[in-house]
Amino acid sequence: MKYRIAIAAFAAALMVFAGYAALYIAPEEATMHEIQRIFYFHVSAWVATFTAFSIVFFANVAYLMTRSQLWDSLGVSAAEVGVACCSIGLITGPLWAKPVWGIYWTWDARLTTTFIMWLMYVSYLMLRGLLEDPRHRASLSAVFGIFAFLDVPLVYVSNRLWRTQHPQPVFFGGTNSGIDPTMAKVFLLCMVAVLVVMVPVLIDRYRTECLRREVEDLRQEIELRTLDSQSRPVKEAL
């Protein structure tokens, strides 16, 4: 319990410092000015999103190979965290776009593939809610989760493959890509802060899912024993 409190306190302190650095330490961008400061957490949210969805993919593959319910629990936990991070990215993006582009949203390649990615993983979670049998649910959602991951690299390369309203890559782009060294350090700090928050949340969600599964198994065992005890007098009478 103490170490969890310590981790939460460290994550909170790191987020506060990252927010301070984004607002007061990073230099002002020459063309977008103050609104550009949303970049530090907007992009960090997408790093967390891609990390979470990558975990979903590997967990789904591992489940199909091992049929271990622990991998299924990790997959659904990472999917929920990924959808939350993706939602943050989809909210902060339009807040940044409106002052810069003059519109909140445009259906270009980057934004459209991103919205499809969000819909795919929301559908993944909804699909799980429609299936009652645990093994059938785990198998079908694993296959769907692997299919949904195909959109993740497409989102990443979309503004490299097509001309989009969305800016060209800042990192690992062309010869003119890159940012001010101080901006890069602040971005790295913000990215680490978001991941430090995301990882404990994912771990707690995974533990909760494992407990939920144990409760579900106990409930099914009780139901089977109840049915067995009710059918036993009938068998004895026959």
Side-chain angles (χ1 to χ4, degrees), residues 90 93-98 100-116 158 163-167:
L90 288 174
L95 293 178
W96 185 7
K98 178 61 175 177
V100 177
W101 299 347
I103 53 173
Y104 286 107
W105 186 270
T106 181
W107 294 101
D108 69 0
R110 166 56 68 87
L111 274 65
T112 302
T113 53
T114 301
F115 184 64
I116 291 173
S158 58
R163 290 189 62 185
T164 65
Q165 183 76 30
H166 191 279

Side-chain angles (χ1 to χ4, degrees), residues 187-209:
F187 168 71
L188 180 62
L189 171 65
C190 293
M191 182 181 67
V192 171
V194 170
L195 290 175
V196 166
V197 172
M198 186 204 80
V199 172
V201 171
L202 174 58
I203 293 173
D204 283 346
R205 178 62 187 88
Y206 172 71
R207 289 174 175 171
T208 302
E209 182 64 20

Side-chain angles (χ1 to χ4, degrees), residues 131-172:
L131 302 172
E132 295 184 2
D133 180 69
R135 295 194 176 277
H136 185 211
R137 177 177 62 214
S139 298
L140 190 58
S141 60
V143 173
F144 185 83
I146 292 171
F147 170 74
F149 186 77
L150 296 176
D151 192 43
V152 174
L154 183 61
V155 171
Y156 180 75
V157 301
S158 58
N159 61 341
R160 291 171 167 83
L161 296 178
W162 300 286
R163 290 189 62 185
T164 65
Q165 183 76 30
H166 191 279
Q168 292 301 301
V170 175
F171 302 103
F172 311 112

Side-chain angles (χ1 to χ4, degrees), residues 1-221:
M1 185 64 180
K2 290 183 179 180
Y3 82 90
R4 295 177 68 181
I5 294 176
I7 292 175
F10 173 72
L14 191 59
M15 283 294 290
V16 170
F17 181 60
Y20 174 83
L23 291 174
Y24 299 107
I25 296 179
E28 182 179 289
E29 204 273 336
T31 57
M32 292 181 283
H33 305 293
E34 293 298 326
I35 191 62
Q36 182 270 343
R37 296 184 187 276
I38 203 171
F39 154 85
Y40 299 102
F41 288 100
H42 172 71
V43 179
S44 297
W46 289 118
V47 172
T49 299
F50 292 154
T51 302
F53 289 161
S54 296
I55 294 173
V56 177
F57 173 76
F58 287 113
N60 289 336
V61 172
Y63 173 78
L64 293 178
M65 294 176 63
T66 65
R67 300 295 173 175
S68 171
Q69 294 296 317
L70 295 178
W71 288 115
D72 179 60
S73 297
L74 178 61
V76 64
S77 302
E80 289 188 3
V81 174
V83 167
C85 295
C86 187
S87 299
I88 293 172
L90 288 174
I91 292 170
T92 55
L95 293 178
W96 185 7
K98 178 61 175 177
V100 177
W101 299 347
I103 53 173
Y104 286 107
W105 186 270
T106 181
W107 294 101
D108 69 0
R110 166 56 68 87
L111 274 65
T112 302
T113 53
T114 301
F115 184 64
I116 291 173
M117 180 179 68
W118 181 83
L119 288 178
M120 294 283 280
Y121 282 95
V122 169
S123 301
Y124 170 90
L125 297 174
M126 293 178 64
L127 174 65
R128 295 183 61 88
L130 298 175
L131 302 172
E132 295 184 2
D133 180 69
R135 295 194 176 277
H136 185 211
R137 177 177 62 214
S139 298
L140 190 58
S141 60
V143 173
F144 185 83
I146 292 171
F147 170 74
F149 186 77
L150 296 176
D151 192 43
V152 174
L154 183 61
V155 171
Y156 180 75
V157 301
S158 58
N159 61 341
R160 291 171 167 83
L161 296 178
W162 300 286
R163 290 189 62 185
T164 65
Q165 183 76 30
H166 191 279
Q168 292 301 301
V170 175
F171 302 103
F172 311 112
T175 55
N176 294 323
S177 64
I179 58 176
D180 176 85
T182 304
M183 288 183 174
K185 293 176 183 177
V186 172
F187 168 71
L188 180 62
L189 171 65
C190 293
M191 182 181 67
V192 171
V194 170
L195 290 175
V196 166
V197 172
M198 186 204 80
V199 172
V201 171
L202 174 58
I203 293 173
D204 283 346
R205 178 62 187 88
Y206 172 71
R207 289 174 175 171
T208 302
E209 182 64 20
C210 290
L211 290 174
R212 187 201 64 77
R213 192 178 298 279
E214 290 179 7
V215 171
E216 186 179 69
D217 292 341
L218 288 173
R219 180 180 59 81
Q220 291 180 349
E221 184 178 348

